[in-house]
Amino acid sequence: MKIGIFILLVVGLTLTVLLSGCKRQEDLKVKSSLEQSLDSANVLFLSLRAVKIAVRVRPEVAAEKDVNLRIKGLRILSSVMISKDDASEAELDSANAYLRQAESLALKTRDSIAWALCQIQVFRYENRRREKTFIKQKIGSKRVLLIALKVIERANLTDDLCVGYRTLARSLFIDKDAVTDMLEYELKSLQNNDSARYPVLRARICNDLAITYSGSFNQEEIAEKFTLRAIQIFKHSDDTLNYARTVSNLSVLRKSDPDKLECYRQALRILKSGSFPFDEARIIFEMAHVFQWSDHYDSALFYFHVGMKKLSEAPGNHQDEIRYQEASMAKSFAKAGQLKKAKRLMALDQPLDQLGVFVFDYVPELKGRIQAYEAIGDLKKLTEMQHRLLELQDSMYSKEQLIEAGKVENGYNLKLKNEELKNLQTIGLLRATAANHEMGIRFLLISGVVITILGFVLVRILLTQKNNINRNLTRQNAIIEMQHLNLERSFQDLQRAQAHVLNSEKMVMLGQFTAGVAHELNNPLNFISGGISVFEEAAEEIGLARKEFQILHDIRVGIDQAMHIVGSLRVFFAPESAPGFFAHADIAECMTASLLVLQSKIRLHKIRIESNVPAFVVVGHSGQLCQVFINLLDNAIHAVKGLPEERKIIEILARRDSSRVLIDFKDHGYGIPESVQAKLFQPFYTSNPFGHRKGLGLFTSETILRKLNGSISFVSHAQEGTTFIVQLNVPE
């Protein structure tokens, strides 16, 4: 009886556990339609179907109230847009905006996993920007992405680890010193890939590995295996463009010219199903190069012309590609006996470092130019190109890097073998356990099942607790890291604020001192002016000689000039327009005072000032406006002081509309280079030698005008000069 009751209790407990587990699984499966769509887009993020899903759910994501779901939606929308092969500048900018929103929400909710997933997409966005603009430099520090990958690894999100490691590898593509790291990250990406859920991503990773093994380590057998595997996967997908590119890449691993040409023809047949004129042109150019290398120059010229025609159908600007192919066409023209056409093409050639190609493309580009110059007979250019080729080959990868790559690969092979051995041992142990169970008594099977289920529940509880602890630790680490960065920023802001306060106090003391000096000088000058007036009247009555009368006149001019200077100082520090209040100032008066301060420089360099500034009243403090005008006039003097006399002109023009006054400061110097225009209003930036100018004039002027709700802008043309435009508000 007791045994029966015990059995009934065990069976009841088993059914309760099973039913509760089923109910929990059923609850987990209940998802909103938006979340289901986002999951579908996440799985299909490399296909066109994902783009259609993203367009459909974008309004729902924007209106979503659940913060976690909104973060997920913004991140997946950005991932889909970044993954488009033909993504436009506007689409990439939108993806970046979504990422920044998701990252901000993740930081507010202190969700370290969501933050880490956003960092992967941020690096993917930076990679795409580099690829579209051919930036020949490394992507920023990978420290943040490595921290994010550690967070994702602790959360055991293998699919996101796969994308993260591939992104990290692609960011090192142009860094020749990091090819070993790049190979390691690509292998880790392949190891974490789920080929059933993401087959197209697995094909792209295989293609990346093939390019790395072939281009960086010359291991063509391994590269061919990865390429064939990628082709097999692409063949059953809808990724037509990458399927054709991979087939085209296979030609590099083929030895004979017919095999190479067959790969290119197969790639062209694949592209016929889509609209990819640029990629078709690139493949046709490669066919032309094959004919050129085999000395079939007439055929090479034919394919060059076909490729140029196809390239003209492609949207966008492809001048770099045209220049690159024209150098190859020149050789074929020369070999075909058409030297005039060859020389004309090479005469249009541009320096190699101006082409939009990566450093790994320099070698074939240099070889093509060497062959073209050799065929034309231009020995000077031929010598120059050969010298550059030797320098570039000396800097390519060393034997130590090949050895290191071999070590990485052997380490991964050994790790895979150990995992296979462990799997075999586990299978053998399971088989032995099953045999022992079959030899036991059958009625103990129910007890064994119950114990197994209870153990599974206990292990599941323990694993859940462990995962929660790991998540909490990860969140705390991320919070500590963010707090550390915030403290550093706060400390830097405090230092800048202290320096600003100290500078402001100095300026206040200087203003008080200058105003006091001007006041004290004004009284004696008035006495002297009155005395001179008496002397002038007496001189006229007694009929003083002309020489003595001239002396009195000179004294009168000097006194008037001194009173004018004192009046200008009082304009700088007028108490009735103190900063911080709704003050009004006369721009004509401020301009006169500013020109007077700079009069010595203007006379020294013999500069002509053409000023047309009416007496407009604007909102602002006269002293601050004088500071802005002096900074702009001083820059203009510096721009024209070394020019011929006919160009030493500074034009000042003020005009007014209904609500504002515009003042133009125009010089006739050499203009501002485009490379430094974005830095003009940065503090301490100057193009002059250290110690000559501080680089604070434009920064200070822009700060003053911004506080007055005004603005400053400029227009600059090379060899024509620069015009700074100051905009001020008119009092209501």
Side-chain angles (χ1 to χ4, degrees):
M1 184 70 180
K2 293 181 179 179
I3 295 174
I5 293 173
F6 174 76
I7 292 174
L8 288 175
L9 288 173
V10 170
V11 172
L13 180 62
T14 304
L15 291 174
T16 302
V17 172
L18 289 174
L19 289 174
S20 64
C22 293
K23 186 175 184 303
R24 180 171 177 80
Q25 292 294 331
E26 196 171 335
D27 291 339
L28 290 174
K29 291 179 182 177
V30 177
K31 293 183 178 180
S32 65
S33 60
L34 173 60
E35 191 169 4
Q36 292 176 359
S37 299
L38 290 175
D39 289 338
S40 300
N42 192 31
V43 173
L44 303 170
F45 75 100
L46 293 175
S47 68
L48 293 176
R49 286 179 289 174
V51 178
K52 296 179 180 178
I53 296 174
V55 172
R56 178 169 53 83
V57 303
R58 187 181 301 166
E60 299 180 39
V61 172
E64 180 58 43
K65 302 297 183 183
D66 186 349
V67 177
N68 293 327
L69 185 56
R70 188 179 181 190
I71 293 173
K72 179 179 179 181
L74 292 170
R75 175 173 53 81
I76 293 176
L77 286 177
S78 65
S79 174
V80 172
M81 298 174 75
I82 293 170
S83 302
K84 287 183 63 178
D85 289 317
D86 57 346
S88 64
E89 294 287 335
E91 289 174 327
L92 290 179
D93 290 340
S94 298
N96 185 35
Y98 291 149
L99 278 177
R100 298 308 175 191
Q101 293 181 37
E103 185 179 16
S104 177
L105 291 173
L107 291 174
K108 287 181 180 179
T109 57
R110 297 186 177 182
D111 190 340
S112 58
I113 296 176
W115 172 84
L117 294 174
C118 288
Q119 298 311 306
I120 293 177
Q121 300 306 324
V122 169
F123 249 68
R124 290 187 67 220
Y125 165 76
E126 292 180 353
N127 281 342
R128 285 306 306 274
R129 295 293 300 184
R130 183 195 65 183
E131 292 168 1
K132 289 183 74 65
T133 56
F134 293 100
I135 303 174
K136 302 175 186 176
Q137 62 185 13
K138 303 176 186 177
I139 296 296
S141 172
K142 60 183 180 182
R143 175 172 169 267
V144 176
L145 184 55
L146 288 174
I147 293 174
L149 289 175
K150 288 182 181 179
V151 174
I152 296 172
E153 189 172 4
R154 290 186 190 128
N156 198 27
L157 302 175
T158 55
D159 293 337
D160 297 293
L161 274 178
C162 170
V163 178
Y165 279 120
R166 182 171 185 257
T167 302
L168 188 55
R170 290 179 68 84
S171 71
L172 303 174
F173 178 70
I174 62 172
D175 187 358
K176 68 178 183 180
D177 297 325
V179 289
T180 304
D181 292 339
M182 182 173 68
L183 176 61
E184 180 182 356
Y185 295 142
E186 288 175 348
L187 289 171
K188 283 186 177 181
S189 177
L190 184 65
Q191 185 181 14
N192 287 282
N193 174 255
D194 185 351
S195 59
R197 282 168 55 86
Y198 300 99
V200 175
L201 179 59
R202 189 176 190 86
R204 293 193 180 189
I205 297 171
C206 290
N207 190 35
D208 293 342
L209 283 165
I211 294 173
T212 302
Y213 275 113
S214 174
S216 302
F217 302 106
N218 296 324
Q219 298 188 21
E220 295 184 355
E221 293 183 3
I222 300 176
E224 185 173 4
K225 291 179 182 178
F226 279 114
T227 304
L228 292 175
R229 178 57 181 156
I231 291 174
Q232 191 66 25
I233 298 173
F234 278 133
K235 187 176 182 180
H236 300 285
S237 71
D238 59 353
D239 195 348
T240 305
L241 181 58
N242 283 287
Y243 180 23
R245 288 175 177 174
T246 307
V247 173
S248 176
N249 292 340
L250 184 62
S251 64
V252 179
L253 305 174
R254 295 297 185 229
K255 303 299 182 182
S256 65
D257 291 343
D259 291 341
K260 292 179 182 291
L261 292 172
E262 180 57 32
C263 290
Y264 291 135
R265 292 190 181 100
Q266 184 179 354
L268 287 175
R269 287 194 293 269
I270 296 170
L271 288 176
K272 291 296 183 183
S273 60
S275 179
F276 308 102
F278 179 74
D279 288 270
E280 288 186 60
R282 292 291 295 269
I283 294 173
I284 294 170
F285 286 139
E286 292 298 330
M287 296 177 69
H289 290 156
V290 172
F291 282 112
Q292 191 179 61
W293 294 332
S294 59
D295 298 334
H296 294 84
Y297 298 108
D298 291 336
S299 299
L301 286 173
F302 170 76
Y303 280 101
F304 275 129
H305 286 299
V306 174
M308 287 294 184
K309 182 179 179 182
K310 180 61 68 174
L311 187 61
S312 65
E313 300 174 3
N317 185 6
H318 304 290
Q319 289 300 317
D320 293 339
E321 181 69 21
I322 293 172
R323 294 297 188 194
Y324 176 74
Q325 300 300 337
E326 283 179 346
S328 299
M329 288 179 65
K331 177 187 174 183
S332 295
F333 274 126
K335 294 293 184 179
Q338 302 180 40
L339 287 177
K340 289 185 178 180
K341 291 185 178 181
K343 290 181 178 179
R344 186 165 62 250
L345 280 177
M346 294 309 292
L348 298 174
D349 202 5
Q350 66 184 72
L352 186 65
D353 54 5
Q354 295 181 6
L355 287 174
V357 295
F358 291 107
V359 67
F360 299 108
D361 295 329
Y362 280 6
V363 172
E365 172 68 11
L366 282 170
K367 289 181 178 179
R369 293 193 180 189
I370 287 173
Q371 294 173 357
Y373 285 126
E374 183 179 7
I376 295 172
D378 191 338
L379 299 180
K380 181 178 178 181
K381 289 285 188 179
L382 174 63
T383 304
E384 179 184 350
M385 292 298 110
Q386 288 175 336
H387 179 69
R388 294 190 67 175
L389 179 61
L390 290 174
E391 289 181 348
L392 188 59
Q393 288 177 337
D394 288 341
S395 64
M396 296 299 281
Y397 313 117
S398 61
K399 294 182 178 179
E400 287 78 9
Q401 290 173 317
L402 294 176
I403 295 172
E404 184 68 21
K407 290 181 180 179
V408 173
E409 184 182 0
N410 292 334
Y412 270 93
N413 290 335
L414 181 61
K415 184 177 180 180
L416 292 174
K417 289 181 180 178
N418 290 334
E419 290 181 355
E420 291 176 358
L421 181 60
K422 289 180 181 178
N423 291 335
L424 290 175
Q425 291 175 349
T426 304
I427 292 171
L429 182 61
L430 290 174
R431 287 177 179 174
T433 304
N436 292 331
H437 285 176
E438 289 177 357
M439 294 171 61
I441 302 172
R442 290 186 177 276
F443 74 89
L444 295 177
L445 180 61
I446 298 175
S447 300
V449 170
V450 171
I451 294 172
T452 303
I453 292 173
L454 291 176
F456 174 77
V457 172
L458 180 61
V459 170
R460 185 172 182 179
I461 293 172
L462 292 175
L463 288 176
T464 303
Q465 292 178 348
K466 181 182 177 181
N467 290 334
N468 291 334
I469 292 172
N470 288 335
R471 289 193 187 96
N472 291 332
L473 288 175
T474 302
R475 291 191 185 98
Q476 292 299 325
N477 290 334
I479 292 170
I480 291 171
E481 184 72 20
M482 288 186 288
Q483 289 176 346
H484 177 68
L485 294 174
N486 290 334
L487 284 175
E488 288 184 350
R489 294 194 197 99
S490 299
F491 180 69
Q492 293 173 359
D493 292 340
L494 179 60
Q495 286 181 326
R496 285 194 291 267
Q498 289 175 343
H500 181 69
V501 169
L502 180 61
N503 187 46
S504 298
E505 291 179 354
K506 290 180 180 179
M507 291 302 295
V508 169
M509 292 177 63
L510 179 60
Q512 293 174 351
F513 175 74
T514 305
V517 170
H519 178 72
E520 292 299 330
L521 287 176
N522 192 49
N523 290 332
L525 287 174
N526 286 332
F527 281 117
I528 296 172
S529 178
I532 292 300
S533 298
V534 173
F535 276 118
E536 287 177 343
E537 291 176 1
E540 289 179 358
E541 291 177 0
I542 65 175
L544 197 65
R546 181 178 181 182
K547 182 177 180 182
E548 286 76 4
F549 192 82
Q550 182 64 36
I551 293 174
L552 290 176
H553 178 72
D554 294 339
I555 294 174
R556 162 62 69 185
V557 172
I559 292 299
D560 290 342
Q561 187 173 3
M563 293 180 71
H564 194 186
I565 293 172
V566 170
S568 299
L569 291 176
R570 297 177 68 183
V571 170
F572 271 89
F573 302 98
E576 65 274 9
S577 57
F581 299 94
F582 290 99
H584 299 163
D586 186 342
I587 63 170
E589 187 179 51
C590 295
M591 189 65 67
T592 302
S594 302
L595 289 171
L596 186 61
V597 171
L598 296 172
Q599 193 62 37
S600 59
K601 282 188 177 182
I602 295 172
R603 290 176 179 172
L604 176 64
H605 298 293
K606 299 180 180 179
I607 297 171
R608 189 167 79 250
I609 305 295
E610 296 181 359
S611 177
N612 184 8
V613 181
F616 294 143
V617 177
V618 296
V619 176
H621 176 239
S622 59
Q624 291 181 338
L625 292 181
C626 288
Q627 187 176 0
V628 173
F629 295 166
I630 288 174
N631 288 334
L632 296 177
L633 287 170
D634 190 43
N635 287 342
I637 291 171
H638 183 73
V640 303
K641 66 182 182 180
L643 298 178
E645 187 173 352
E646 62 272 10
R647 295 185 62 179
K648 288 185 178 181
I649 303 172
I650 298 175
E651 300 177 20
I652 309 169
L653 174 63
R655 58 192 186 280
R656 174 180 174 176
D657 57 18
S658 59
S659 62
R660 59 181 181 173
V661 171
L662 301 175
I663 310 172
D664 297 342
F665 295 83
K666 181 177 181 181
D667 65 67
H668 294 269
Y670 293 115
I672 302 172
E674 292 184 2
S675 59
V676 304
Q677 289 184 5
K679 306 176 184 178
L680 283 184
F681 296 103
Q682 294 179 3
F684 304 107
Y685 175 77
T686 177
S687 58
N688 294 277
F690 179 77
H692 285 72
R693 296 171 76 88
K694 302 301 182 183
L696 289 172
L698 290 177
F699 169 73
T700 304
S701 301
E702 195 268 341
T703 303
I704 292 172
L705 292 171
R706 188 171 63 250
K707 291 180 179 178
L708 296 175
N709 293 326
S711 65
I712 182 171
S713 59
F714 68 92
V715 178
S716 184
H717 301 286
Q719 304 299 325
E720 294 182 8
T722 304
T723 302
F724 280 87
I725 302 101
V726 173
Q727 177 181 320
L728 295 167
N729 294 322
V730 175
E732 295 181 357

